[in-house]
CSV table of all heavy atoms in Angstrom, one decimal:
chain,number,residue,atom,x,y,z
D,134,ILE,N,-14.7,10.7,3.8
D,134,ILE,CA,-13.5,10.0,4.5
D,134,ILE,C,-13.3,10.6,5.9
D,134,ILE,O,-12.9,9.9,6.7
D,134,ILE,CB,-12.2,10.3,3.5
D,134,ILE,CG1,-11.1,9.5,4.1
D,134,ILE,CG2,-11.8,11.7,3.6
D,134,ILE,CD1,-10.0,9.1,3.1
D,135,GLU,N,-13.7,11.9,6.1
D,135,GLU,CA,-13.5,12.4,7.5
D,135,GLU,C,-14.5,11.7,8.4
D,135,GLU,O,-14.1,11.4,9.5
D,135,GLU,CB,-13.8,14.0,7.4
D,135,GLU,CG,-12.7,14.8,6.8
D,135,GLU,CD,-11.4,14.7,7.5
D,135,GLU,OE1,-11.4,14.6,8.7
D,135,GLU,OE2,-10.4,14.8,6.7
D,136,GLU,N,-15.7,11.3,8.0
D,136,GLU,CA,-16.6,10.6,8.8
D,136,GLU,C,-16.0,9.3,9.1
D,136,GLU,O,-16.1,8.8,10.2
D,136,GLU,CB,-17.9,10.4,8.1
D,136,GLU,CG,-18.8,11.7,7.9
D,136,GLU,CD,-19.9,11.5,7.0
D,136,GLU,OE1,-20.5,10.5,6.9
D,136,GLU,OE2,-20.3,12.6,6.4
D,137,ARG,N,-15.4,8.6,8.1
D,137,ARG,CA,-14.8,7.2,8.2
D,137,ARG,C,-13.7,7.3,9.3
D,137,ARG,O,-13.5,6.4,10.2
D,137,ARG,CB,-14.3,6.8,7.0
D,137,ARG,CG,-15.5,6.4,6.1
D,137,ARG,CD,-15.0,6.1,4.6
D,137,ARG,NE,-14.9,4.6,4.6
D,137,ARG,CZ,-14.4,4.1,3.6
D,137,ARG,NH1,-13.9,4.6,2.6
D,137,ARG,NH2,-14.4,2.6,3.6
D,138,ARG,N,-12.9,8.3,9.2
D,138,ARG,CA,-11.8,8.5,10.1
D,138,ARG,C,-12.3,8.7,11.6
D,138,ARG,O,-11.8,8.1,12.6
D,138,ARG,CB,-10.9,9.7,9.8
D,138,ARG,CG,-10.0,9.4,8.6
D,138,ARG,CD,-8.9,10.4,8.5
D,138,ARG,NE,-8.3,10.3,7.2
D,138,ARG,CZ,-8.3,11.2,6.3
D,138,ARG,NH1,-8.8,12.4,6.5
D,138,ARG,NH2,-7.7,11.0,5.1
D,139,ASP,N,-13.3,9.7,11.6
D,139,ASP,CA,-13.9,9.9,13.0
D,139,ASP,C,-14.5,8.7,13.7
D,139,ASP,O,-14.4,8.5,14.9
D,139,ASP,CB,-15.0,11.0,12.9
D,139,ASP,CG,-14.3,12.4,12.7
D,139,ASP,OD1,-13.2,12.6,12.9
D,139,ASP,OD2,-15.1,13.2,12.2
D,140,ALA,N,-15.0,7.8,12.8
D,140,ALA,CA,-15.7,6.6,13.3
D,140,ALA,C,-14.6,5.6,13.9
D,140,ALA,O,-15.0,4.7,14.7
D,140,ALA,CB,-16.4,5.9,12.2
D,141,LYS,N,-13.3,5.7,13.6
D,141,LYS,CA,-12.3,4.9,14.1
D,141,LYS,C,-11.9,5.4,15.6
D,141,LYS,O,-11.2,4.7,16.2
D,141,LYS,CB,-11.1,4.9,13.2
D,141,LYS,CG,-11.3,4.2,11.8
D,141,LYS,CD,-10.0,4.2,11.1
D,141,LYS,CE,-10.2,3.4,9.7
D,141,LYS,NZ,-9.0,3.3,9.0
D,142,GLY,N,-12.3,6.5,15.9
D,142,GLY,CA,-12.1,7.0,17.3
D,142,GLY,C,-11.2,8.1,17.2
D,142,GLY,O,-10.4,8.4,16.4
D,143,ASN,N,-11.1,8.9,18.3
D,143,ASN,CA,-10.4,10.1,18.6
D,143,ASN,C,-8.9,10.0,18.5
D,143,ASN,O,-8.2,10.7,17.9
D,143,ASN,CB,-10.8,10.9,19.8
D,143,ASN,CG,-12.1,11.6,19.6
D,143,ASN,OD1,-12.5,11.9,18.5
D,143,ASN,ND2,-12.8,11.8,20.7
D,144,ASP,N,-8.5,8.8,19.1
D,144,ASP,CA,-7.0,8.6,19.2
D,144,ASP,C,-6.5,8.3,17.8
D,144,ASP,O,-5.6,9.1,17.4
D,144,ASP,CB,-6.7,7.3,19.9
D,144,ASP,CG,-5.3,7.1,20.1
D,144,ASP,OD1,-4.6,8.0,20.5
D,144,ASP,OD2,-4.8,6.0,19.9
D,145,PHE,N,-7.1,7.6,17.0
D,145,PHE,CA,-6.6,7.4,15.6
D,145,PHE,C,-6.7,8.7,14.8
D,145,PHE,O,-5.8,9.1,14.2
D,145,PHE,CB,-7.5,6.4,14.9
D,145,PHE,CG,-7.2,6.4,13.4
D,145,PHE,CD1,-6.1,5.6,13.0
D,145,PHE,CD2,-8.0,7.1,12.4
D,145,PHE,CE1,-5.9,5.5,11.6
D,145,PHE,CE2,-7.6,7.1,11.1
D,145,PHE,CZ,-6.6,6.3,10.7
D,146,ASN,N,-7.9,9.4,15.0
D,146,ASN,CA,-8.0,10.6,14.3
D,146,ASN,C,-7.0,11.8,14.6
D,146,ASN,O,-6.4,12.4,13.8
D,146,ASN,CB,-9.4,11.3,14.5
D,146,ASN,CG,-9.9,12.3,13.5
D,146,ASN,OD1,-9.5,12.2,12.4
D,146,ASN,ND2,-10.8,13.1,13.9
D,147,GLN,N,-6.6,11.8,15.8
D,147,GLN,CA,-5.7,12.9,16.3
D,147,GLN,C,-4.3,12.4,15.8
D,147,GLN,O,-3.5,13.3,15.3
D,147,GLN,CB,-5.7,12.9,17.9
D,147,GLN,CG,-6.8,13.6,18.4
D,147,GLN,CD,-6.9,13.6,19.9
D,147,GLN,OE1,-6.1,12.9,20.6
D,147,GLN,NE2,-7.8,14.4,20.4
D,148,ARG,N,-3.9,11.1,15.9
D,148,ARG,CA,-2.6,10.8,15.5
D,148,ARG,C,-2.5,10.9,14.0
D,148,ARG,O,-1.4,11.3,13.4
D,148,ARG,CB,-2.3,9.2,15.8
D,148,ARG,CG,-2.0,9.0,17.3
D,148,ARG,CD,-1.7,7.6,17.6
D,148,ARG,NE,-2.9,6.7,17.4
D,148,ARG,CZ,-2.9,5.6,16.9
D,148,ARG,NH1,-1.7,5.0,16.5
D,148,ARG,NH2,-3.9,4.9,16.7
D,149,TYR,N,-3.5,10.5,13.2
D,149,TYR,CA,-3.5,10.7,11.8
D,149,TYR,C,-3.3,12.2,11.3
D,149,TYR,O,-2.4,12.5,10.6
D,149,TYR,CB,-4.9,10.3,11.1
D,149,TYR,CG,-4.9,10.6,9.7
D,149,TYR,CD1,-4.3,9.7,8.8
D,149,TYR,CD2,-5.5,11.8,9.2
D,149,TYR,CE1,-4.2,10.1,7.4
D,149,TYR,CE2,-5.5,12.1,7.9
D,149,TYR,CZ,-4.9,11.3,7.0
D,149,TYR,OH,-4.8,11.6,5.7
D,150,HIS,N,-4.1,13.0,11.9
D,150,HIS,CA,-3.8,14.4,11.6
D,150,HIS,C,-2.5,15.0,12.0
D,150,HIS,O,-1.9,15.8,11.2
D,150,HIS,CB,-5.0,15.3,12.2
D,150,HIS,CG,-6.3,15.2,11.5
D,150,HIS,ND1,-6.5,15.5,10.2
D,150,HIS,CD2,-7.4,14.4,11.9
D,150,HIS,CE1,-7.7,15.2,9.8
D,150,HIS,NE2,-8.3,14.5,10.8
D,151,LEU,N,-2.0,14.5,13.2
D,151,LEU,CA,-0.6,15.1,13.5
D,151,LEU,C,0.5,14.4,12.7
D,151,LEU,O,1.4,15.1,12.4
D,151,LEU,CB,-0.5,14.7,15.0
D,151,LEU,CG,-1.2,15.5,16.1
D,151,LEU,CD1,-1.1,14.9,17.5
D,151,LEU,CD2,-0.9,17.0,16.0
D,152,LEU,N,0.5,13.2,12.4
D,152,LEU,CA,1.5,12.5,11.8
D,152,LEU,C,1.4,12.4,10.2
D,152,LEU,O,2.5,12.4,9.6
D,152,LEU,CB,1.7,11.1,12.4
D,152,LEU,CG,2.1,11.1,13.8
D,152,LEU,CD1,2.1,9.6,14.2
D,152,LEU,CD2,3.5,11.6,14.0
D,153,TRP,N,0.2,12.2,9.7
D,153,TRP,CA,0.1,11.8,8.3
D,153,TRP,C,-0.4,12.7,7.3
D,153,TRP,O,0.0,12.7,6.2
D,153,TRP,CB,-0.7,10.4,8.3
D,153,TRP,CG,0.0,9.3,9.0
D,153,TRP,CD1,-0.2,9.0,10.3
D,153,TRP,CD2,0.8,8.3,8.5
D,153,TRP,NE1,0.6,7.9,10.7
D,153,TRP,CE2,1.2,7.5,9.4
D,153,TRP,CE3,1.4,8.2,7.2
D,153,TRP,CZ2,2.1,6.4,9.2
D,153,TRP,CZ3,2.2,7.1,7.0
D,153,TRP,CH2,2.6,6.2,8.0
D,154,GLU,N,-1.4,13.4,7.8
D,154,GLU,CA,-2.2,14.3,6.8
D,154,GLU,C,-1.3,15.2,6.1
D,154,GLU,O,-1.4,15.3,4.8
D,154,GLU,CB,-3.3,15.0,7.5
D,154,GLU,CG,-4.3,15.7,6.4
D,154,GLU,CD,-5.4,16.2,7.0
D,154,GLU,OE1,-5.5,16.7,8.2
D,154,GLU,OE2,-6.5,16.2,6.3
Side-chain angles (χ1 to χ4, degrees):
I134 194 154
E135 288 299 327
E136 294 169 25
R137 294 172 93 185
R138 285 193 194 121
D139 288 341
K141 290 186 178 183
N143 283 339
D144 183 50
F145 172 84
N146 201 27
Q147 289 174 347
R148 284 184 296 141
Y149 172 80
H150 285 289
L151 289 173
L152 294 173
W153 295 89
E154 187 171 36

